[in-house]
Every structure is written in C-alpha cells, then in structure tokens.
Amino acid sequence: MTSLVQRSSGLVQRRTEASRSAADKDRLPGEEDQEPRRGDELDDDDTGDSKETRLTLMEEVLLLGLKDREVICKSDAPTGDVLLDEALKHIKDTQPPETVQSWIELLSGETWNPLKLHYQLRNVRERLAKNLVEKGVLTTEKQNFLLFDMTTHPLTNNNIKQRLIKRVQEAVLDKWVNDAQRMDKRLLALIFLAHSSDVLENAFAPLLDDQYDLAMKRVRQLLELEPEGESVKANANELLWAVVAAFTK
C-alpha cells in the first residue's frame, strides 16, 4: 500500500497551467470533439476508430507504460486473443486446479518450481507490442546499438494513447463515484493492473498539482480496499477481487 506513495515522489514533467494552455493552442480545430463522451467507454472504448484499434486490457497496460499480467476467464471458450487463449489452455488442462495467486506466479514465470516453468507465457511484452503494431498504434523500427541492431516499437498513433489516459484520469477525477462496486469493472481492473505494473503514474503526469494529488488520493483509497470484503458484496466480480488480492498482498 505504501509503495504507491513512495513512487509518487519520483514523478517528473508534470505540466503547469501555462504549458497546458500552450498545448491547448496547438490542438487542431475539432480535435477535442472526437474524445469519447461520458459513459461511452463501456460499449466502445475507442469512439471514432475502427474495430481493429480496440485494445485488450493487457495492451492498454503496455500502452500506458510506453514513453513519447494474468487475466483469467471463467469460461473455457476461446477469447480470440492469443495470449489469453494460451493462458486459458494452461488453466483448463491443469488438475488439480491452482489458486489465482499461483497462476499469476506461474504464467509470469515468478515460480521457484522448475517443473512448472513451462507454464510461463513467453515474450509477452514483444507479443503485445506486435499486436499494437497490427492495430496501427505502434510501429516497428530497427535501432543500432554498437555491434547489434535492436527492434523497437515507437508510438505512432498518439490519439489512442491520449484517449486511454483521459479515461484513467476521469475515472478518479470527473467521473469518480467513490464506490468501487459502481465503477466500470474493466476500468477498475486497468487501474489495479497499471499500478502493479508501475505505469499508472504515467496517466497522471500531465495533471496539474492539485489534480494529481486528488487522483493519487483516490487511487490510494482503491488500493486500501479489502479485496475479500469487496468480493462478497452484491454484484461484485469475485475473480477481479481475487486477482487484486494477489497483486496487492
């Protein structure tokens, strides 16, 4: 719980009011009107974009981490996402069943059991990056580092990333409902996963100081919730809170 407070002191390049005003002047006419409207996030995360640019939760976490974990399904039906289906196959084929905490450790490769290393999902970041390249969000470049070339994936569609950042910001500012059970479950999961991946603060970097402090205060409120207690409330997503418990223990 305290790690978030400690990390917040290292934030850099928060914009001032003056820089924000300058950025507003540079915005193209009509650009702001293309932002998702309040309440549109659940049905269409990328209003105005084709279906090919709709991102998975893991892709959004990766995108938040770019500079300019495990998701478990209750159904064993294929999801259409290669990484999720790979994880789902491991879960389905394993008997006796493992706990949520165990699966997070196994799929991430953070297990001390050498007999279970085959469960680890390989090259997750690179595979997610390639998905984003196919969706036109990133591009692929070769950069030379002394004696070898390295493949990089620079951001090419900043509009999608900015909409993602806006959704995260609004969830804890303009659209804050002060009740985790009333929040969009997908967006709530994104906040927890982004925090666990140390990329959540990237979404708050553009905020003014007072907005940043308020956003961080509300994130801490979410992090201080007791997952076990939240999971038994009416309409709660038990699996979501089991994953939260594993990440925030």
Side-chain angles (χ1 to χ4, degrees):
M1 304 300 177
T2 59
S3 59
L4 181 61
V5 180
Q6 294 169 349
R7 281 196 293 269
S8 66
S9 61
L11 184 68
V12 296
Q13 292 185 341
R14 251 182 283 153
R15 288 192 291 181
T16 63
E17 183 67 41
S19 62
R20 179 179 290 273
S21 299
D24 289 342
K25 292 180 180 179
D26 293 336
R27 184 179 293 117
L28 296 176
E31 181 177 321
E32 187 167 351
D33 293 337
Q34 297 173 0
E35 297 288 347
R37 294 173 298 174
R38 182 183 298 265
D40 286 350
E41 293 88 340
L42 293 179
D43 298 324
D44 190 349
D45 291 340
D46 295 314
T47 303
D49 286 316
S50 65
K51 292 182 179 179
E52 286 73 24
T53 58
R54 293 177 183 172
L55 310 182
T56 67
L57 190 60
M58 291 190 294
E59 289 168 356
E60 290 181 338
V61 173
L62 175 63
L63 191 57
L64 282 176
L66 292 177
K67 295 182 179 180
D68 328 341
R69 270 183 199 242
E70 170 212 300
V71 177
I72 307 173
C73 306
K74 289 186 176 180
S75 169
D76 61 4
T79 65
D81 182 276
V82 176
L83 280 168
L84 291 180
D85 288 343
E86 183 179 331
L88 187 59
K89 185 178 186 302
H90 284 314
I91 295 169
K92 179 182 177 181
D93 295 344
T94 300
Q95 293 296 333
E98 298 280 359
T99 64
V100 171
Q101 176 67 49
S102 295
W103 274 120
I104 290 176
E105 294 174 354
L106 292 172
L107 295 173
S108 64
E110 296 179 358
T111 177
W112 291 99
N113 189 340
L115 299 179
K116 294 187 176 182
L117 289 177
H118 64 282
Y119 287 119
Q120 181 180 358
L121 299 181
R122 307 290 179 178
N123 304 316
V124 172
R125 181 182 176 88
E126 179 64 21
R127 291 161 71 181
L128 289 173
K130 287 182 178 179
N131 288 347
L132 291 173
V133 170
E134 293 176 359
K135 295 178 180 181
V137 181
L138 306 181
T139 188
T140 301
E141 293 182 357
K142 293 285 187 180
Q143 291 189 5
N144 182 268
F145 292 90
L146 298 179
L147 301 178
F148 59 92
D149 290 334
M150 178 176 291
T151 300
T152 62
H153 299 288
L155 183 67
T156 187
N157 189 336
N158 193 52
N159 289 336
I160 291 179
K161 181 176 181 179
Q162 293 306 313
R163 278 196 292 271
L164 173 60
I165 289 175
K166 182 179 179 182
R167 285 173 48 218
V168 175
Q169 291 176 350
E170 287 184 338
V172 294
L173 292 174
D174 297 344
K175 298 182 181 180
W176 176 248
V177 294
N178 200 29
D179 182 357
Q181 298 298 334
R182 293 170 54 201
M183 292 181 67
D184 169 34
K185 299 299 187 292
R186 191 178 190 280
L187 190 53
L188 182 62
L190 174 61
I191 290 174
F192 279 115
L193 291 175
H195 167 259
S196 297
S197 302
D198 292 324
V199 299
L200 182 59
E201 288 184 5
N202 293 357
F204 301 146
L207 296 174
L208 300 177
D209 287 351
D210 57 342
Q211 294 174 315
Y212 173 84
D213 292 340
L214 180 58
M216 294 300 294
K217 176 183 177 181
R218 289 171 174 172
V219 168
R220 285 194 293 272
Q221 290 179 25
L222 294 176
L223 295 174
E224 291 168 359
L225 292 173
E226 176 51 53
E228 184 175 350
E230 294 295 321
S231 67
V232 298
K233 292 183 178 180
N235 301 318
N237 186 314
E238 295 182 22
L239 187 57
L240 166 63
W241 290 107
V243 174
V244 169
F247 275 116
T248 59
K249 69 171 186 176

